[in-house]
Short mmCIF file of all heavy atoms in Angstrom, two decimals:
data_model
loop_
_atom_site.label_atom_id
_atom_site.label_comp_id
_atom_site.label_asym_id
_atom_site.label_seq_id
_atom_site.Cartn_x
_atom_site.Cartn_y
_atom_site.Cartn_z
N VAL X 16 0.88 -1.17 0.00
CA VAL X 16 0.00 0.00 0.00
C VAL X 16 0.92 1.22 0.00
O VAL X 16 1.71 1.40 0.93
CB VAL X 16 -0.95 0.02 1.21
CG1 VAL X 16 -1.75 1.31 1.24
CG2 VAL X 16 -1.89 -1.19 1.18
N ILE X 17 0.82 2.01 -1.06
CA ILE X 17 1.67 3.18 -1.21
C ILE X 17 0.84 4.41 -0.87
O ILE X 17 -0.17 4.70 -1.52
CB ILE X 17 2.21 3.28 -2.65
CG1 ILE X 17 3.03 2.02 -2.97
CG2 ILE X 17 3.05 4.55 -2.82
CD1 ILE X 17 3.37 1.86 -4.42
N VAL X 18 1.26 5.12 0.19
CA VAL X 18 0.57 6.32 0.65
C VAL X 18 1.45 7.52 0.31
O VAL X 18 2.51 7.70 0.92
CB VAL X 18 0.28 6.27 2.17
CG1 VAL X 18 -0.50 7.49 2.61
CG2 VAL X 18 -0.44 4.98 2.55
N PRO X 19 1.05 8.31 -0.70
CA PRO X 19 1.89 9.44 -1.13
C PRO X 19 2.21 10.38 0.03
O PRO X 19 1.34 10.71 0.83
CB PRO X 19 1.03 10.16 -2.17
CG PRO X 19 0.00 9.19 -2.58
CD PRO X 19 -0.22 8.27 -1.41
N GLY X 20 3.48 10.76 0.12
CA GLY X 20 3.90 11.69 1.15
C GLY X 20 4.13 11.04 2.51
O GLY X 20 4.61 11.68 3.43
N LEU X 21 3.77 9.76 2.66
CA LEU X 21 3.93 9.06 3.93
C LEU X 21 4.92 7.91 3.78
O LEU X 21 5.94 7.86 4.44
CB LEU X 21 2.59 8.56 4.45
CG LEU X 21 2.61 7.82 5.79
CD1 LEU X 21 3.11 8.73 6.90
CD2 LEU X 21 1.24 7.28 6.13
N GLY X 22 4.59 6.94 2.91
CA GLY X 22 5.47 5.79 2.72
C GLY X 22 4.71 4.58 2.22
O GLY X 22 3.57 4.68 1.75
N THR X 23 5.34 3.41 2.36
CA THR X 23 4.79 2.16 1.83
C THR X 23 4.67 1.12 2.94
O THR X 23 5.62 0.91 3.70
CB THR X 23 5.70 1.62 0.71
OG1 THR X 23 5.80 2.60 -0.32
CG2 THR X 23 5.14 0.34 0.11
N PHE X 24 3.51 0.49 3.01
CA PHE X 24 3.24 -0.61 3.93
C PHE X 24 3.26 -1.89 3.10
O PHE X 24 2.48 -2.03 2.14
CB PHE X 24 1.88 -0.44 4.60
CG PHE X 24 1.81 0.76 5.49
CD1 PHE X 24 1.54 2.02 4.98
CD2 PHE X 24 2.00 0.63 6.86
CE1 PHE X 24 1.48 3.13 5.80
CE2 PHE X 24 1.94 1.74 7.70
CZ PHE X 24 1.69 2.99 7.17
N THR X 25 4.13 -2.83 3.43
CA THR X 25 4.29 -4.06 2.65
C THR X 25 4.10 -5.27 3.54
O THR X 25 4.57 -5.29 4.69
CB THR X 25 5.69 -4.12 2.02
OG1 THR X 25 5.90 -2.94 1.25
CG2 THR X 25 5.85 -5.33 1.12
N GLY X 26 3.43 -6.29 3.00
CA GLY X 26 3.28 -7.54 3.74
C GLY X 26 2.12 -8.35 3.22
O GLY X 26 1.53 -8.04 2.17
N PRO X 27 1.76 -9.40 3.95
CA PRO X 27 0.67 -10.27 3.53
C PRO X 27 -0.70 -9.63 3.78
O PRO X 27 -0.93 -9.06 4.85
CB PRO X 27 0.86 -11.52 4.38
CG PRO X 27 1.58 -11.05 5.60
CD PRO X 27 2.42 -9.88 5.16
N PHE X 28 -1.56 -9.71 2.80
CA PHE X 28 -2.93 -9.21 2.89
C PHE X 28 -3.88 -10.31 2.40
O PHE X 28 -3.46 -11.26 1.74
CB PHE X 28 -3.14 -7.98 2.00
CG PHE X 28 -2.61 -6.70 2.56
CD1 PHE X 28 -1.28 -6.33 2.40
CD2 PHE X 28 -3.45 -5.81 3.25
CE1 PHE X 28 -0.80 -5.14 2.90
CE2 PHE X 28 -2.96 -4.62 3.75
CZ PHE X 28 -1.64 -4.27 3.57
N PHE X 29 -5.14 -10.16 2.72
CA PHE X 29 -6.19 -10.95 2.10
C PHE X 29 -7.43 -10.08 1.99
O PHE X 29 -7.53 -9.05 2.64
CB PHE X 29 -6.47 -12.27 2.83
CG PHE X 29 -7.01 -12.13 4.23
CD1 PHE X 29 -8.37 -12.29 4.48
CD2 PHE X 29 -6.17 -11.86 5.30
CE1 PHE X 29 -8.87 -12.17 5.76
CE2 PHE X 29 -6.66 -11.73 6.59
CZ PHE X 29 -8.02 -11.89 6.81
N VAL X 30 -8.35 -10.49 1.13
CA VAL X 30 -9.56 -9.71 0.88
C VAL X 30 -10.67 -10.25 1.76
O VAL X 30 -11.01 -11.44 1.69
CB VAL X 30 -9.96 -9.77 -0.61
CG1 VAL X 30 -11.27 -9.07 -0.85
CG2 VAL X 30 -8.85 -9.15 -1.46
N THR X 31 -11.23 -9.39 2.61
CA THR X 31 -12.32 -9.81 3.50
C THR X 31 -13.68 -9.55 2.89
O THR X 31 -14.67 -10.14 3.32
CB THR X 31 -12.26 -9.08 4.85
OG1 THR X 31 -12.36 -7.67 4.62
CG2 THR X 31 -10.97 -9.40 5.59
N ASP X 32 -13.74 -8.65 1.92
CA ASP X 32 -15.02 -8.29 1.32
C ASP X 32 -14.79 -7.90 -0.14
O ASP X 32 -13.95 -7.05 -0.41
CB ASP X 32 -15.64 -7.13 2.10
CG ASP X 32 -17.08 -6.87 1.74
OD1 ASP X 32 -17.82 -7.84 1.50
OD2 ASP X 32 -17.47 -5.69 1.68
N PHE X 33 -15.49 -8.55 -1.05
CA PHE X 33 -15.39 -8.23 -2.46
C PHE X 33 -16.80 -8.18 -3.03
O PHE X 33 -17.61 -9.05 -2.75
CB PHE X 33 -14.58 -9.29 -3.23
CG PHE X 33 -14.43 -8.97 -4.68
CD1 PHE X 33 -13.38 -8.19 -5.13
CD2 PHE X 33 -15.36 -9.42 -5.60
CE1 PHE X 33 -13.25 -7.87 -6.47
CE2 PHE X 33 -15.25 -9.10 -6.94
CZ PHE X 33 -14.19 -8.32 -7.38
N GLU X 34 -17.06 -7.15 -3.82
CA GLU X 34 -18.38 -7.03 -4.44
C GLU X 34 -18.23 -6.58 -5.89
O GLU X 34 -17.50 -5.63 -6.18
CB GLU X 34 -19.22 -6.01 -3.68
CG GLU X 34 -20.62 -5.85 -4.24
CD GLU X 34 -21.45 -4.87 -3.42
OE1 GLU X 34 -21.53 -5.04 -2.19
OE2 GLU X 34 -22.00 -3.94 -4.03
N ALA X 35 -18.90 -7.28 -6.78
CA ALA X 35 -18.99 -6.87 -8.18
C ALA X 35 -20.39 -6.29 -8.38
O ALA X 35 -21.37 -6.78 -7.83
CB ALA X 35 -18.78 -8.06 -9.11
N SER X 36 -20.48 -5.21 -9.16
CA SER X 36 -21.77 -4.57 -9.36
C SER X 36 -21.83 -3.97 -10.76
O SER X 36 -20.83 -3.76 -11.42
CB SER X 36 -22.00 -3.47 -8.32
OG SER X 36 -20.99 -2.49 -8.41
N GLY X 37 -23.03 -3.72 -11.20
CA GLY X 37 -23.23 -3.11 -12.50
C GLY X 37 -24.70 -2.90 -12.76
O GLY X 37 -25.56 -3.45 -12.08
N ASP X 38 -24.99 -2.07 -13.74
CA ASP X 38 -26.38 -1.87 -14.14
C ASP X 38 -26.50 -2.14 -15.64
O ASP X 38 -25.56 -2.61 -16.28
CB ASP X 38 -26.90 -0.48 -13.75
CG ASP X 38 -26.12 0.66 -14.39
OD1 ASP X 38 -25.58 0.47 -15.49
OD2 ASP X 38 -26.09 1.75 -13.80
N MET X 39 -27.62 -1.83 -16.20
CA MET X 39 -27.91 -2.18 -17.59
C MET X 39 -26.98 -1.50 -18.60
O MET X 39 -26.67 -2.07 -19.64
CB MET X 39 -29.36 -1.81 -17.93
CG MET X 39 -30.37 -2.61 -17.15
SD MET X 39 -30.42 -4.32 -17.62
CE MET X 39 -31.14 -4.20 -19.24
N GLU X 40 -26.54 -0.28 -18.32
CA GLU X 40 -25.81 0.47 -19.33
C GLU X 40 -24.33 0.67 -19.04
O GLU X 40 -23.55 0.84 -19.97
CB GLU X 40 -26.48 1.84 -19.53
CG GLU X 40 -27.87 1.73 -20.11
CD GLU X 40 -28.50 3.08 -20.34
OE1 GLU X 40 -27.99 4.09 -19.83
OE2 GLU X 40 -29.52 3.12 -21.05
N ASN X 41 -23.95 0.70 -17.79
CA ASN X 41 -22.56 1.00 -17.45
C ASN X 41 -21.71 -0.26 -17.36
O ASN X 41 -22.23 -1.37 -17.31
CB ASN X 41 -22.51 1.77 -16.13
CG ASN X 41 -23.14 3.14 -16.26
OD1 ASN X 41 -22.91 3.84 -17.24
ND2 ASN X 41 -23.95 3.51 -15.30
#
């Protein structure tokens, strides 16, 4: 995770919540 002006956090992550979405036109 690169935070401009602060620095970088590096290490193991996992996704706790994922959502796909969409409508008719977009």
Side-chain angles (χ1 to χ4, degrees):
V16 175
I17 301 168
V18 183
L21 181 62
T23 302
F24 295 83
T25 304
F28 281 85
F29 65 101
V30 175
T31 59
D32 192 37
F33 181 88
E34 182 178 307
S36 60
D38 61 28
M39 295 291 289
E40 295 182 346
N41 294 317

